[in-house]
Each structure stands twice: as C-alpha cells, then as structure tokens.
C-alpha cells in the first residue's frame, strides 16, 4: 500500500470513528494555498480541525510527536483561511487522531487514540 493510500485509509478510519461518536464530517482533505487539513468535523457547536497520524510501529516515536511546532503553525494558518472563507465566528479546536494498526490493517489490530485540544 502506498503512503498516500495508507493515509487515506487512516483518515477514513478516523472519519468513521468520529461519526460513531456523533461528529459530522464537514470536509475531508481540505486544501488551500497554505496547506492541507486531513478532516474538518463538527462536534456540537465546535469546529474541529483534525490531523490524522497513522503508524504500524513506534520505532520512530508516537504519532503525535510528528505534529511538530512547524506543522502546528501550518495547520493554524490553513484553518484561519478556512474560517475566513467559511465561518469566521466559529468556535474551533485542533485535534490529533492517532491510528495504530499492523501492516495488514487488520480491524482487530486497529485502534484510534483521539486527542482533543491537542495544541
């Protein structure tokens, strides 16, 4: 499976996880000139900008450790643009979804750790 296909699979898993918990997926793979946001979801009255990180092992650290300060800044800028063009008064937060699985993407070996207000 390519890196892009793996990422798409992880994002689909998180979208399903969020829907099961009552979130509404607003946008998947939002792109603008400033960057990309994996998922934008509505949790009640809060707009959630979700960064998805998929790992099949922890050889290089926890997935959340790859949401570096630079990545956070890029996500903030992208989110600011989204808000300016869609809903400037929205209450929002930044979440990180860690998807842990094996190389075969077995359902019984897949779990999601969801971190609200990650940064």
């Amino acid at each position: 499976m390519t890196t892009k296909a793996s990422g798409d699979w992880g994002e689909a898993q998180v979208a399903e996880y969020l829907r099961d918990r009552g979130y509404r997926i607003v946008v998947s793979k939002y792109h603008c000139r400033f960057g990309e946001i994996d998922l934008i979801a509505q949790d009640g009255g809060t707009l959630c900008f979700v960064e998805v990180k998929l790992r099949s092992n922890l050889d290089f650290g926890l997935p959340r450790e790859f949401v570096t300060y630079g990545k956070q800044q890029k996500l903030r800028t992208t989110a600011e643009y989204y808000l300016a063009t869609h809903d400037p008064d929205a209450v929002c937060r930044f979440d990180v979804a860690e998807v842990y699985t094996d190389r075969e993407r077995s359902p019984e070996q897949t779990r999601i750790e969801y971190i609200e207000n990650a940064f």
Side-chain angles (χ1 to χ4, degrees):
M1 193 178 279
T2 67
T3 302
K4 182 183 178 334
S6 292
D8 292 347
W9 181 85
E11 290 169 18
Q13 299 304 303
V14 173
E16 181 180 332
Y17 173 91
L18 293 174
R19 281 189 203 97
D20 289 347
R21 283 151 184 80
Y23 289 63
R24 182 177 66 85
I25 303 302
V26 177
V27 181
S28 180
K29 295 181 192 180
Y30 173 75
H31 290 275
C32 72
R33 64 183 180 198
F34 300 109
E36 175 187 327
I37 296 174
D38 295 329
L39 294 169
I40 301 174
Q42 189 81 37
D43 178 21
T46 303
L47 197 60
C48 307
F49 297 100
V50 183
E51 177 68 8
V52 177
K53 292 295 183 188
L54 172 71
R55 293 292 179 271
S56 58
N57 66 59
L58 299 177
D59 292 348
F60 299 105
L62 295 171
R64 70 189 80 170
E65 295 173 330
F66 288 84
V67 186
T68 62
Y69 178 77
K71 178 67 172 177
Q72 292 173 23
Q73 291 303 103
K74 192 168 190 173
L75 289 167
R76 283 186 182 105
T77 301
T78 305
E80 285 172 359
Y81 184 80
Y82 177 86
L83 291 169
T85 57
H86 291 82
D87 189 359
D89 297 323
V91 174
C92 63
R93 70 175 192 239
F94 293 88
D95 299 347
V96 173
E98 299 177 321
V99 181
Y100 297 93
T101 191
D102 58 1
R103 293 196 185 277
E104 292 76 34
R105 313 285 187 252
S106 317
E108 62 277 354
Q109 294 298 318
T110 300
R111 71 181 171 86
I112 295 172
E113 293 289 327
Y114 194 79
I115 306 163
E116 292 182 5
N117 288 313
F119 57 92

